[in-house]
Amino acid sequence: MKVVVDEEKCVAAGQCVAAAMDVFDQREDDGIVVLLDENPPAELAEDVRNAAAVCPALAIRLEE
Amino acid sequence: MSIDDDAGAPARVLVVGASASGLTTVETLRRKGYEGRITVLGDEPHAPYDRPPLSKQVLSGAWEPERAALRTQEVLSALDAEFVLGDQAVALDRASRGVRTESGRELRADAIVIATGVRARRLPGSEDLAGVHVLRTLDDALALRAGLSAGTRLVVVGEGVLGSEIAATARTLGLDVTLTGPLSAPMALQVGPLVSGVLADLHTERGVELRLGNGVVGLTAGGGRVTGVRLATGEVLPADAVVVAIGATPATEWLADSGLEIDNGVVCDSHCRAEEGIYAVGDVARWYHEGLGRLVRLENRTNATEQAMAVAGEILGADRPYAPVPYFWTDQYDAKLQVHGFLPPDAEVDVVEGDLTARRFVARYRSKGRVTGVLGWNMPKQARMRRQEIVDGLDAPAPTH
């Protein structure tokens, strides 16, 4: 699985961090998404799919 | 008796409503392996699109309307669902789980998901007046955008989230903007007096004229066009264009004779069930939130997604109450506000991080000794990190009144 984030679309909701904190974080100053692991291991795949699904700005794209 | 994994899952699902919550229901069903037939009925002709950009990027012209589409045509096709668009549900028959549409279609399913959202409220008597707008749909946003140009005198009626966003966007485009409504400051109902006071300063600095604290009693017109907004005081605010943003009504007219309980939305149990096999999601759903111990209806983008994911799970047998910590955000000028949880009007508010005067802070809202909500102003991460305090507050036993 490859994770791609669109910083321009991100609204800093942080819902992705709540869903998959080993894969996503937020910048301190403006809350924009920080991708910690663009090729997350299989055991995190379901969490990452949830993170992409709950993103209110559709800023996370997955290539499976 | 069937022994396959899908045992118990309905053979056909009908989703009434093709916006964020309807689409997410479908996507989640497929993601969780549902292989039955899915039909989505939508009243607008457009493929599913996103609403938050309508009052910001689409209205300002920064985005072409296509960019607000929720999914590409290719992704939609891969869902293997039948999209029936441009046709509206007009009646539900509970016994047969059938929905009749305006064009005369009869759609039947084993499970029905009501996702018809809300409709913008209008001012009585304004329907045929040129220059009067609401903003709920993509077509509304494009019509409003076409009606605005620098120098237009725009009056925004309604000081809630949507009205405040429209005022900010229009002001940024160089319009002469007045914001009016019965409360004393922008979003006073949504964020309380402390933060709405900061918002009032922000709008004033940016040149929006605030004429708040007065009800609107009607519009003035000439030659079929709006010319102004009349306040309860008798004063008239001159206008070339007016946006009415005074809230929205659940789109439940089509359910009036269905026998379902309708009371400010489709009334549901804690599993978002209106009755066996019939669910409601998104803005139209009013369900029993077990953490709060009361019915709630949320009109925000995040709930549309999260509730749809929960209902898709229910349809497939998850059997878990839906009790979220709500979340919404608003962007106005350079201010990004993030709100987690509930901000009751009687809450005690403390700034727990940052600085109010620097306009970078986190405010915590407490009611009856429990943290119910957190608001970040240009501090999104710091606000989100306090979300757990709200979860703990919801988990604590409800106080007795």
Side-chain angles (χ1 to χ4, degrees):
Chain A
M1 173 187 272
K2 183 167 189 283
V3 185
V4 181
V5 298
D6 183 342
E7 288 191 9
E8 201 200 325
K9 275 190 150 183
C10 175
V11 294
Q15 307 289 98
C16 56
V17 189
M21 63 186 304
D22 294 330
V23 179
F24 302 99
D25 196 0
Q26 290 177 274
R27 291 203 298 241
E28 289 285 336
D29 55 340
D30 60 6
I32 297 297
V33 61
V34 175
L35 186 56
L36 302 175
D37 185 351
E38 63 172 13
N39 296 108
E43 64 266 25
L44 295 178
E46 193 51 32
D47 289 347
V48 174
R49 283 187 205 108
N50 268 325
V54 297
C55 172
L58 317 173
I60 301 169
R61 194 162 52 81
L62 305 179
E63 294 168 7
E64 305 236 12
Chain B
M1 208 174 114
S2 168
I3 51 161
D4 70 30
D5 289 344
D6 253 0
R12 288 183 303 180
V13 176
L14 170 62
V15 179
V16 187
S19 193
S21 61
L23 176 67
T24 304
T25 308
V26 178
E27 289 191 325
T28 310
L29 284 169
R30 291 301 189 218
R31 195 151 58 87
K32 290 180 182 288
Y34 178 68
E35 292 180 349
R37 262 182 70 184
I38 303 178
T39 303
V40 182
L41 175 67
D43 60 345
E44 293 179 64
H46 308 291
Y49 61 85
D50 206 15
R51 289 183 208 284
L54 297 184
S55 55
K56 302 180 276 283
Q57 294 92 337
V58 173
L59 183 58
S60 72
W63 287 14
E64 284 313 309
E66 297 75 41
R67 192 159 170 202
L70 280 165
R71 297 290 181 263
T72 63
Q73 202 53 54
E74 192 187 357
V75 171
L76 288 181
S77 304
L79 287 172
D80 189 25
E82 185 191 4
F83 282 84
V84 178
L85 301 176
D87 197 4
Q88 191 174 331
V90 293
L92 168 75
D93 182 55
R94 292 154 74 197
S96 67
R97 300 227 180 107
V99 168
R100 188 156 45 79
T101 75
E102 197 166 28
S103 77
R105 283 189 177 93
E106 299 279 350
L107 302 170
R108 270 183 218 302
D110 308 290
I112 291 180
V113 179
I114 298 167
T116 43
V118 294
R119 264 188 255 288
R121 260 192 227 124
R122 291 168 193 268
L123 286 175
S126 69
E127 289 82 357
D128 299 321
L129 219 48
V132 182
H133 298 265
V134 292
L135 204 173
R136 175 68 193 165
T137 67
L138 181 59
D139 293 342
D140 292 339
L142 296 178
L144 177 59
R145 181 172 141 189
L148 302 182
S149 52
T152 304
R153 288 172 307 172
L154 175 73
V155 176
V156 180
V157 179
E159 74 294 72
V161 181
L162 184 64
S164 302
E165 287 182 355
I166 294 168
T169 303
R171 185 64 204 128
T172 306
L173 291 172
L175 279 82
D176 171 355
V177 181
T178 303
L179 180 64
T180 185
L183 299 178
S184 59
M187 289 177 48
L189 194 65
Q190 288 80 23
V191 299
L194 184 72
V195 176
S196 68
V198 184
L199 265 174
D201 293 344
L202 176 65
H203 278 275
T204 304
E205 280 165 26
R206 298 295 176 124
V208 170
E209 190 177 348
L210 299 181
R211 300 303 301 272
L212 299 168
N214 287 303
V216 165
V217 292
L219 303 174
T220 59
R225 271 203 76 84
V226 71
T227 56
V229 172
R230 191 186 301 280
L231 304 181
T233 55
E235 190 185 358
V236 174
L237 307 172
D240 310 308
V242 172
V243 183
V244 178
I246 54 173
T249 317
T252 51
E253 302 86 346
W254 66 287
L255 298 167
D257 299 324
S258 68
L260 294 182
E261 188 185 353
I262 305 296
D263 178 11
N264 178 27
V266 178
V267 177
C268 296
D269 67 11
S270 60
H271 296 247
C272 312
R273 260 186 315 240
E275 64 170 49
E276 202 55 43
I278 302 181
Y279 305 83
V281 295
D283 298 6
V284 76
R286 187 151 170 261
W287 88 101
Y288 187 81
H289 190 303
E290 287 191 358
L292 293 172
R294 60 179 167 85
L295 290 168
V296 289
R297 188 170 72 77
L298 299 177
E299 287 181 16
N300 68 57
R301 180 63 180 81
T302 319
N303 185 62
T305 302
E306 292 183 349
Q307 195 166 24
M309 290 170 71
V311 161
E314 286 298 307
I315 292 172
L316 301 178
D319 196 25
R320 215 174 314 158
Y322 177 61
V325 173
Y327 165 80
F328 78 90
W329 81 96
T330 177
D331 296 341
Q332 296 169 34
Y333 315 103
D334 56 356
K336 275 183 184 300
L337 276 68
Q338 317 270 336
V339 177
H340 300 266
F342 300 86
L343 314 186
D346 64 346
E348 277 178 55
V349 187
D350 301 296
V351 172
V352 290
E353 223 167 311
D355 181 353
L356 208 62
T357 52
R359 298 205 187 137
R360 198 167 136 74
F361 61 90
V362 178
R364 185 172 62 188
Y365 292 66
R366 275 182 305 177
S367 182
K368 302 184 180 75
R370 301 195 298 185
V371 175
T372 62
V374 166
L375 179 147
W377 182 305
N378 285 344
M379 277 197 150
K381 178 175 180 174
Q382 296 81 352
R384 193 256 312 157
M385 287 175 75
R386 291 179 176 271
R387 187 178 172 279
Q388 186 59 40
E389 297 180 36
I390 307 164
V391 176
D392 297 343
L394 283 174
D395 286 345
T400 48
H401 295 274

